[in-house]
Amino acid sequence: MTKPTFNELKSLLEKGDLSKIASKILHLYLTQDQFSKNILLSGCLPEPLGRNFSEDKLNTYLKSCYIVVKYFEEKDLGEEGAEHLEILRNTLEEPAIMIFQIYKNSQSNNKRLFKNEFLKYPFVKQVQMLCSLVESQYIYSKKEVAANLKDKKMMTGLEHELPNNEEKVSISDNLEGLLEVFDTIIRLLHFNARGKIEQDEFLEYKEISPYNLPCIEELGYLAAHRKHLEDLWEKVKYQNWEFELMKSPDDKTVFYYQAKNKDHHKKEVGAVFRQKYHDFTQQIEETVYPANNLKESNSVKNIVDISQPETLFNIPKELFNIESNESIKLRITKKQIINNFGGIVDNIRFGENKDISVDELLLGMNYLTVLAEIYSEKSHEVFEDSLDSLKNIIPIFEVSKFIEKFCLVYDLDKKKGKDIINLLIFHPKPMLDLFSHPLIYVGNNRVILTPYLILQMNYYRIIEQQIRYWDIDVAAKGKDLEENLKVILNVSPNVLVNLNEIKFEANDGKMVEYDLIALFDNQVMLIEIKNLKRPFSAKEIYQREKDIIYGVEQVRRRTDILIDQWDTIKELVDIELPENPPKKHEVVKLVCTNIYNFSGRIYEGVYVTDFSALMKFFISPKVEVFELREEIKQKIREEIIREDIPNVEELKDYLRMPIALKGIFNSLEVVPRPIMLIEEDDFRIVTEDFYLKENPYLSYQ
């Protein structure tokens, strides 16, 4: 008898036959693993935030679940059976309950949203007001950061990440949250203005202050509320988040959502801070002293006149090549891209005509960054909370101005320059998010220049997002990573690394290929190497985790073959292995990736780590902390992470918690994040989060 599928259940739910649906639900529950997860991923149940949500379909499913539960309730199951029945009921019903909670709260949001007066404003004025809010908040945050750093002896790059209020929210959280809210709102505005964006006469507004307007304040809350629901739904659907019933101080029922595996979630959060610190230190290492910065050039200050914003495009071509923080960012990104994608980078092409190279897109981002850095420096100097100041910090330009200057600076033909700039414009129905398209289109071939939207660009993330959007295969880089790992590990006096290619037909009739076989502490070490795109959402983490689990399955199969066909392996390797095969538990099994997100996890005896952490253990087992003051680099602390002659148990302990993650992990603390209540009868939902309670690197002082 064939196993039932969720597609069969999906089809039955469309037809509405309760008895058949109930039978299929029970059959799936008994024969399929992870019922709750798979029913959400299969699309059997309606998406709570989708426009075509069907409450009838959800009710049909719940009625069918009731039939299944009722069937068992009528039987004498005993105490143990009653416990199993409770598990059955929860497993079947909770996915639908979570969907309904998110849907109900979303509906309250929609009802309030479409009554909001701001939606009646002219489209261009709406965008101007929101962009002025983003840019002015950036100005205020810079002042706050400068005040916070005034008496600090050391910068670590995580100063923006520390909470500065009772809600345990950092300056970085506030700004990033503001942009996420802006992304949500601008999509809505583009949708509402469809067919009306292009006007016969383009109007630019002077009265654009977003402050002291209840409608904008409410809109911000509603957009943040929507974003919180979207994030929660992604975590429920892709990461198995579940709720626990609790009571509020006023005795109301609260649904407290949290990750099923808290250790994994906490390490994911830690990986984000680890990456930020890594990016910061890379920028410091690349910085040339004394810095010759564009924004400090007297010639620039004399050229750019904020009262006449178009003077920004009078900046001489040669100034775009001055060593600055912007070009440092460009160099760092190129290194990251080459490290992660190898030689195939030269063959990657973006755009409708597949003719824009990675280097060309990076030039476009760097070009906008230089303009934004110069303009923000000039406009922020004279910024005041006045109507003219707000208008001046976010000027509107014709797209042709950006294209003409770009082509002139980098000697590009007009078509190529236009295609590159267009990839960086947030058009209606954009390819990617606001973080990747910093120029906001407002109609009549005009865009708003909001410096902060440009300055926050993560070049590497945008390249990866473009690779994903255009469905470009980058898997070939995995072989480069494998060769690099072999060569570098072979330098360690504690490891014997096989450098031969090991590939043959195994006894199961299928081909097997070993990425890396080594001998460490007289035990065999198998490493499966995965080159992965960095994830930026719960959905992408789920997708990358599937790659990790596939790697785990591969290394486990290769372990079985290694033991079963030991003599064959011994003949093929170029290192001397023990006479007899190891037992399965004696083989050190690893999946090594190029990203940090999964380091510290263990799946079925297989350790997941990253290239950097593994090299730290075997090649450079010292943590050295340096203080950098202009040209002087001074070591202020040193920590040894293992003995001179390490053993397998030391390695396993280290893989559970790499030194690069440990300090961050220990500095993270749980904080509950309540979702705003719009209507009194909405579900009271709280989600679990982590924040940095202290700077993990200042303890090194």
Side-chain angles (χ1 to χ4, degrees), residues 422-479:
N422 271 332
L423 283 182
L424 298 168
I425 295 176
F426 194 93
H427 289 284
K429 297 182 180 179
M431 295 186 303
L432 305 172
D433 55 26
L434 186 72
F435 295 88
S436 306
H437 301 305
L439 296 174
I440 310 296
Y441 187 74
V442 289
N444 289 60
N445 292 312
R446 288 173 168 84
V447 292
I448 293 186
L449 172 71
T450 309
Y452 178 63
L453 292 182
I454 294 170
L455 297 177
Q456 61 75 40
M457 282 192 299
N458 181 325
Y459 292 2
Y460 180 83
R461 177 182 183 270
I462 293 174
I463 295 297
E464 277 215 337
Q465 295 282 64
Q466 290 285 349
I467 287 172
R468 188 176 294 107
Y469 180 83
W470 300 106
D471 196 25
I472 297 168
D473 183 12
V474 294
K477 170 59 183 172
K479 205 68 181 174

Coordinates of all heavy atoms in Angstrom, one line a residue, residues 422-479:
N422 N 19.0 51.0 -12.9 CA 17.7 50.5 -12.7 C 17.6 49.3 -11.7 O 16.6 49.1 -11.1 CB 17.1 50.0 -14.1 CG 16.4 51.2 -14.8 OD1 15.9 52.1 -14.2 ND2 16.4 51.1 -16.1
L423 N 18.7 48.5 -11.6 CA 18.7 47.4 -10.7 C 18.7 47.9 -9.2 O 18.4 47.2 -8.3 CB 19.9 46.5 -10.9 CG 19.9 45.5 -12.1 CD1 21.1 44.7 -12.1 CD2 18.6 44.6 -12.0
L424 N 19.0 49.2 -9.0 CA 19.1 49.8 -7.7 C 17.9 50.7 -7.4 O 17.9 51.4 -6.4 CB 20.4 50.6 -7.6 CG 21.7 49.7 -7.7 CD1 22.9 50.5 -7.9 CD2 21.8 48.7 -6.6
I425 N 16.9 50.7 -8.2 CA 15.7 51.5 -8.0 C 14.5 50.7 -7.5 O 14.3 49.6 -8.0 CB 15.3 52.2 -9.3 CG1 16.4 53.2 -9.8 CG2 13.9 53.0 -9.2 CD1 16.1 53.9 -11.1
F426 N 13.9 51.2 -6.5 CA 12.7 50.5 -5.9 C 11.5 50.9 -6.8 O 10.8 51.9 -6.5 CB 12.5 50.9 -4.5 CG 11.6 50.0 -3.7 CD1 12.0 48.9 -3.0 CD2 10.2 50.3 -3.7 CE1 11.1 48.1 -2.3 CE2 9.3 49.5 -3.0 CZ 9.8 48.4 -2.3
H427 N 11.2 50.2 -7.8 CA 10.1 50.4 -8.7 C 8.8 49.8 -8.0 O 8.9 48.9 -7.1 CB 10.3 49.8 -10.0 CG 11.3 50.4 -10.9 ND1 11.1 51.6 -11.5 CD2 12.6 50.1 -11.2 CE1 12.2 52.0 -12.2 NE2 13.1 51.1 -12.0
P428 N 7.6 50.1 -8.5 CA 6.5 49.3 -8.2 C 6.7 47.8 -8.6 O 7.3 47.6 -9.6 CB 5.3 49.9 -9.0 CG 5.8 51.3 -9.2 CD 7.3 51.3 -9.4
K429 N 6.3 46.9 -7.7 CA 6.6 45.5 -7.9 C 8.1 45.2 -8.0 O 8.6 44.7 -9.0 CB 5.8 44.9 -9.1 CG 4.3 45.0 -9.0 CD 3.7 44.4 -10.2 CE 2.2 44.4 -10.1 NZ 1.5 43.9 -11.3
P430 N 8.9 45.6 -7.0 CA 10.3 45.5 -7.1 C 10.7 44.0 -7.0 O 10.0 43.1 -6.5 CB 10.8 46.2 -5.8 CG 9.7 46.1 -4.9 CD 8.4 46.1 -5.7
M431 N 11.9 43.7 -7.6 CA 12.5 42.4 -7.6 C 12.8 42.0 -6.2 O 12.5 40.8 -5.7 CB 13.8 42.3 -8.4 CG 13.6 42.6 -9.9 SD 15.1 42.3 -10.8 CE 16.2 43.4 -10.0
L432 N 13.5 42.9 -5.4 CA 14.0 42.6 -4.1 C 13.4 43.6 -3.1 O 12.4 44.2 -3.4 CB 15.5 42.6 -4.1 CG 16.2 41.7 -5.1 CD1 17.7 41.9 -5.2 CD2 15.9 40.2 -4.9
D433 N 14.0 43.7 -1.9 CA 13.4 44.5 -0.9 C 14.1 45.9 -0.9 O 15.0 46.2 -1.7 CB 13.6 43.9 0.5 CG 15.0 43.5 0.8 OD1 16.0 44.1 0.2 OD2 15.2 42.6 1.6
L434 N 13.6 46.8 0.0 CA 14.1 48.1 0.0 C 15.6 48.2 0.4 O 16.3 49.1 0.0 CB 13.3 48.9 1.1 CG 13.6 50.4 1.3 CD1 13.0 51.1 0.1 CD2 13.0 50.9 2.6
F435 N 16.1 47.2 1.1 CA 17.5 47.2 1.5 C 18.4 47.0 0.2 O 19.6 47.3 0.3 CB 17.8 46.0 2.4 CG 17.1 46.2 3.8 CD1 15.8 45.7 4.0 CD2 17.7 46.8 4.8 CE1 15.1 45.9 5.2 CE2 17.1 46.9 6.1 CZ 15.8 46.5 6.2
S436 N 17.8 46.5 -0.9 CA 18.6 46.2 -2.1 C 18.3 47.3 -3.2 O 19.0 47.3 -4.2 CB 18.2 44.8 -2.6 OG 18.4 43.9 -1.7
H437 N 17.2 48.0 -3.0 CA 16.8 49.1 -4.0 C 16.7 50.4 -3.3 O 15.6 50.8 -2.9 CB 15.5 48.7 -4.7 CG 15.4 47.4 -5.4 ND1 16.3 47.0 -6.3 CD2 14.6 46.3 -5.2 CE1 16.0 45.8 -6.8 NE2 15.0 45.4 -6.1
P438 N 17.7 51.1 -3.1 CA 17.7 52.3 -2.2 C 17.1 53.6 -2.8 O 16.8 54.5 -2.1 CB 19.1 52.5 -1.8 CG 19.9 52.0 -3.0 CD 19.1 50.8 -3.5
L439 N 17.0 53.7 -4.2 CA 16.4 54.8 -4.8 C 14.9 54.6 -5.0 O 14.5 53.6 -5.7 CB 17.1 55.1 -6.2 CG 18.6 55.4 -6.2 CD1 19.1 55.5 -7.6 CD2 18.8 56.8 -5.5
I440 N 14.1 55.4 -4.4 CA 12.6 55.2 -4.4 C 12.0 55.9 -5.6 O 12.1 57.1 -5.8 CB 12.0 55.7 -3.2 CG1 12.7 55.2 -1.9 CG2 10.5 55.3 -3.2 CD1 12.6 53.7 -1.8
Y441 N 11.3 55.1 -6.5 CA 10.7 55.7 -7.7 C 9.4 56.4 -7.3 O 8.6 55.9 -6.6 CB 10.4 54.6 -8.7 CG 9.9 55.1 -10.0 CD1 10.8 55.7 -10.9 CD2 8.6 55.0 -10.4 CE1 10.3 56.2 -12.1 CE2 8.1 55.5 -11.6 CZ 9.0 56.1 -12.5 OH 8.6 56.6 -13.7
V442 N 9.3 57.7 -7.8 CA 8.1 58.4 -7.5 C 7.3 58.9 -8.7 O 6.4 59.8 -8.6 CB 8.4 59.7 -6.6 CG1 8.8 59.2 -5.2 CG2 9.5 60.5 -7.2
G443 N 7.6 58.3 -9.9 CA 6.9 58.7 -11.1 C 7.6 59.6 -12.0 O 8.6 60.3 -11.5
N444 N 7.2 59.7 -13.3 CA 7.8 60.6 -14.2 C 9.3 60.5 -14.3 O 10.0 61.5 -14.4 CB 7.4 62.1 -13.9 CG 5.9 62.3 -14.2 OD1 5.1 61.7 -13.7 ND2 5.6 63.2 -15.1
N445 N 9.9 59.3 -14.2 CA 11.3 59.0 -14.3 C 12.1 59.8 -13.2 O 13.2 60.3 -13.5 CB 11.8 59.4 -15.7 CG 11.3 58.4 -16.7 OD1 11.3 57.2 -16.5 ND2 10.8 58.9 -17.8
R446 N 11.5 59.9 -12.0 CA 12.2 60.6 -10.9 C 12.3 59.6 -9.7 O 11.4 58.8 -9.5 CB 11.4 61.9 -10.5 CG 11.5 63.0 -11.5 CD 10.6 64.2 -11.1 NE 10.9 65.4 -11.8 CZ 10.4 65.7 -13.0 NH1 9.6 64.8 -13.6 NH2 10.7 66.8 -13.6
V447 N 13.4 59.9 -9.0 CA 13.6 59.1 -7.7 C 14.0 60.0 -6.6 O 14.5 61.1 -6.8 CB 14.7 58.0 -7.9 CG1 14.3 56.9 -8.9 CG2 16.0 58.6 -8.4
I448 N 13.7 59.5 -5.4 CA 14.2 60.3 -4.2 C 15.5 59.7 -3.7 O 15.6 58.5 -3.6 CB 13.1 60.2 -3.1 CG1 11.8 60.9 -3.5 CG2 13.7 60.8 -1.8 CD1 10.8 61.0 -2.4
L449 N 16.4 60.6 -3.5 CA 17.7 60.2 -2.9 C 17.6 60.3 -1.4 O 17.5 61.4 -0.9 CB 18.9 61.1 -3.4 CG 20.2 60.9 -2.8 CD1 20.8 59.6 -3.1 CD2 21.2 62.1 -3.1
T450 N 17.6 59.2 -0.7 CA 17.6 59.2 0.7 C 18.9 58.6 1.2 O 19.1 57.4 1.1 CB 16.4 58.3 1.3 OG1 15.2 58.7 0.7 CG2 16.3 58.4 2.8
P451 N 19.9 59.4 1.6 CA 21.2 59.0 1.8 C 21.3 57.7 2.7 O 22.1 56.8 2.4 CB 21.9 60.2 2.5 CG 21.2 61.3 1.8 CD 19.8 60.9 1.7
Y452 N 20.5 57.7 3.8 CA 20.7 56.5 4.7 C 20.3 55.2 4.0 O 20.9 54.2 4.2 CB 19.8 56.7 6.0 CG 19.9 55.5 6.9 CD1 21.1 55.1 7.4 CD2 18.8 54.7 7.1 CE1 21.2 54.0 8.2 CE2 18.9 53.6 7.9 CZ 20.1 53.2 8.4 OH 20.2 52.1 9.2
L453 N 19.3 55.2 3.1 CA 18.9 54.0 2.4 C 20.0 53.5 1.6 O 20.2 52.3 1.4 CB 17.7 54.3 1.5 CG 16.3 54.6 2.1 CD1 15.3 54.8 1.1 CD2 15.9 53.5 3.1
I454 N 20.9 54.4 1.1 CA 22.0 54.0 0.3 C 23.2 53.5 1.2 O 23.8 52.5 1.0 CB 22.5 55.1 -0.6 CG1 21.4 55.4 -1.7 CG2 23.8 54.8 -1.3 CD1 21.6 56.7 -2.5
L455 N 23.4 54.3 2.3 CA 24.6 54.0 3.1 C 24.4 52.7 3.9 O 25.4 52.1 4.3 CB 24.8 55.2 4.1 CG 25.1 56.5 3.5 CD1 25.3 57.6 4.5 CD2 26.4 56.4 2.7
Q456 N 23.1 52.2 4.1 CA 22.9 51.0 4.8 C 23.1 49.8 3.9 O 23.0 48.6 4.4 CB 21.5 51.0 5.5 CG 20.4 51.1 4.5 CD 20.0 49.8 3.8 OE1 20.1 48.7 4.3 NE2 19.7 50.0 2.5
M457 N 23.3 50.0 2.6 CA 23.4 48.8 1.7 C 24.5 47.9 2.1 O 25.6 48.3 2.4 CB 23.7 49.3 0.3 CG 22.5 49.9 -0.5 SD 22.9 50.1 -2.3 CE 24.3 51.2 -2.2
N458 N 24.1 46.6 2.2 CA 25.1 45.5 2.4 C 25.4 45.0 1.0 O 24.6 44.2 0.4 CB 24.5 44.4 3.3 CG 25.4 43.3 3.6 OD1 26.2 42.9 2.7 ND2 25.3 42.7 4.8
Y459 N 26.6 45.4 0.5 CA 26.9 45.0 -0.9 C 26.8 43.5 -1.1 O 26.3 43.0 -2.1 CB 28.3 45.5 -1.3 CG 28.5 47.0 -1.4 CD1 27.5 47.9 -1.1 CD2 29.8 47.5 -1.7 CE1 27.7 49.2 -1.2 CE2 30.0 48.9 -1.8 CZ 28.9 49.7 -1.6 OH 29.2 51.1 -1.6
Y460 N 27.4 42.8 -0.2 CA 27.5 41.3 -0.4 C 26.1 40.7 -0.4 O 25.8 39.9 -1.2 CB 28.3 40.7 0.8 CG 28.4 39.2 0.6 CD1 29.3 38.6 -0.2 CD2 27.5 38.3 1.3 CE1 29.4 37.2 -0.3 CE2 27.5 37.0 1.2 CZ 28.5 36.4 0.4 OH 28.5 35.0 0.2
R461 N 25.2 41.2 0.5 CA 23.8 40.7 0.6 C 23.1 40.9 -0.8 O 22.4 40.1 -1.3 CB 23.1 41.3 1.7 CG 21.6 40.9 1.8 CD 20.9 41.6 2.9 NE 19.5 41.1 3.1 CZ 18.5 41.7 2.5 NH1 18.7 42.7 1.6 NH2 17.3 41.2 2.7
I462 N 23.3 42.1 -1.3 CA 22.6 42.5 -2.6 C 23.1 41.6 -3.7 O 22.3 41.1 -4.5 CB 22.9 44.0 -2.9 CG1 22.1 44.8 -1.9 CG2 22.4 44.3 -4.3 CD1 22.4 46.3 -2.0
I463 N 24.4 41.3 -3.8 CA 24.9 40.4 -4.8 C 24.3 39.0 -4.6 O 23.8 38.4 -5.6 CB 26.5 40.3 -4.7 CG1 27.1 41.7 -5.1 CG2 27.0 39.2 -5.7 CD1 26.8 42.1 -6.5
E464 N 24.2 38.5 -3.4 CA 23.6 37.2 -3.2 C 22.1 37.2 -3.5 O 21.6 36.2 -4.1 CB 23.8 36.8 -1.7 CG 25.2 36.1 -1.4 CD 25.1 35.0 -0.4 OE1 24.1 35.0 0.4 OE2 25.9 34.2 -0.4
Q465 N 21.4 38.3 -3.2 CA 20.0 38.4 -3.5 C 19.8 38.4 -5.0 O 18.9 37.7 -5.5 CB 19.4 39.7 -2.9 CG 19.4 39.7 -1.4 CD 18.3 38.9 -0.8 OE1 18.3 37.7 -0.9 NE2 17.4 39.5 -0.1
Q466 N 20.7 39.1 -5.7 CA 20.6 39.1 -7.2 C 20.9 37.7 -7.8 O 20.2 37.2 -8.7 CB 21.6 40.1 -7.8 CG 21.2 41.6 -7.5 CD 20.1 42.0 -8.4 OE1 19.7 41.4 -9.4 NE2 19.5 43.2 -8.1
I467 N 21.9 37.0 -7.2 CA 22.2 35.6 -7.6 C 21.0 34.8 -7.5 O 20.6 33.9 -8.3 CB 23.4 35.1 -6.9 CG1 24.7 35.8 -7.4 CG2 23.5 33.6 -7.0 CD1 25.9 35.5 -6.5
R468 N 20.3 34.9 -6.3 CA 19.1 34.1 -6.0 C 18.0 34.5 -7.0 O 17.3 33.6 -7.5 CB 18.7 34.3 -4.6 CG 17.6 33.4 -4.1 CD 17.4 33.6 -2.6 NE 18.5 33.2 -1.8 CZ 19.3 34.1 -1.2 NH1 19.1 35.4 -1.3 NH2 20.3 33.7 -0.5
Y469 N 17.8 35.8 -7.2 CA 16.7 36.2 -8.0 C 16.8 35.7 -9.5 O 15.8 35.3 -10.1 CB 16.6 37.7 -8.0 CG 15.4 38.3 -8.9 CD1 14.1 38.3 -8.3 CD2 15.6 38.7 -10.2 CE1 13.1 38.8 -9.1 CE2 14.6 39.1 -11.0 CZ 13.3 39.2 -10.4 OH 12.2 39.6 -11.2
W470 N 18.0 35.8 -10.0 CA 18.2 35.3 -11.4 C 18.6 33.9 -11.5 O 18.9 33.4 -12.6 CB 19.4 36.2 -12.0 CG 19.1 37.6 -12.0 CD1 19.6 38.6 -11.3 CD2 18.1 38.3 -12.9 NE1 19.0 39.8 -11.5 CE2 18.1 39.7 -12.6 CE3 17.2 37.9 -13.9 CZ2 17.3 40.6 -13.2 CZ3 16.4 38.8 -14.5 CH2 16.5 40.2 -14.2
D471 N 18.4 33.1 -10.3 CA 18.6 31.7 -10.3 C 19.9 31.2 -10.9 O 20.0 30.4 -11.8 CB 17.4 31.0 -11.0 CG 17.3 29.5 -10.7 OD1 17.8 29.1 -9.6 OD2 16.7 28.8 -11.5
I472 N 21.0 31.8 -10.4 CA 22.3 31.5 -10.9 C 23.0 30.4 -10.1 O 23.0 30.5 -8.9 CB 23.2 32.8 -10.9 CG1 22.6 33.8 -11.8 CG2 24.6 32.5 -11.3 CD1 23.2 35.2 -11.7
D473 N 23.5 29.4 -10.7 CA 24.0 28.2 -10.0 C 25.5 28.6 -9.6 O 26.3 28.9 -10.5 CB 24.0 27.0 -11.0 CG 24.6 25.8 -10.3 OD1 24.7 25.8 -9.0 OD2 24.8 24.8 -11.0
V474 N 25.7 28.5 -8.3 CA 27.1 28.8 -7.8 C 27.7 27.6 -7.1 O 28.6 27.7 -6.3 CB 27.1 30.0 -6.9 CG1 26.7 31.3 -7.6 CG2 26.1 29.8 -5.7
A475 N 27.1 26.4 -7.3 CA 27.5 25.2 -6.5 C 29.0 24.8 -6.8 O 29.6 24.2 -6.0 CB 26.6 24.1 -6.9
A476 N 29.5 25.3 -8.0 CA 30.9 24.8 -8.3 C 31.9 25.3 -7.3 O 33.0 24.7 -7.2 CB 31.2 25.4 -9.7
K477 N 31.6 26.3 -6.6 CA 32.6 26.9 -5.6 C 32.9 25.8 -4.5 O 34.0 25.9 -3.9 CB 32.1 28.2 -5.0 CG 32.9 28.7 -3.8 CD 34.3 29.0 -4.1 CE 35.1 29.4 -2.9 NZ 36.5 29.5 -3.1
G478 N 32.0 24.9 -4.2 CA 32.2 23.9 -3.2 C 33.5 23.2 -3.4 O 34.2 22.8 -2.4
K479 N 33.9 22.9 -4.6 CA 35.1 22.2 -4.9 C 36.4 23.0 -4.5 O 37.3 22.5 -4.0 CB 35.2 21.8 -6.4 CG 36.1 20.6 -6.7 CD 35.4 19.4 -6.2 CE 36.3 18.1 -6.5 NZ 35.8 16.9 -5.8

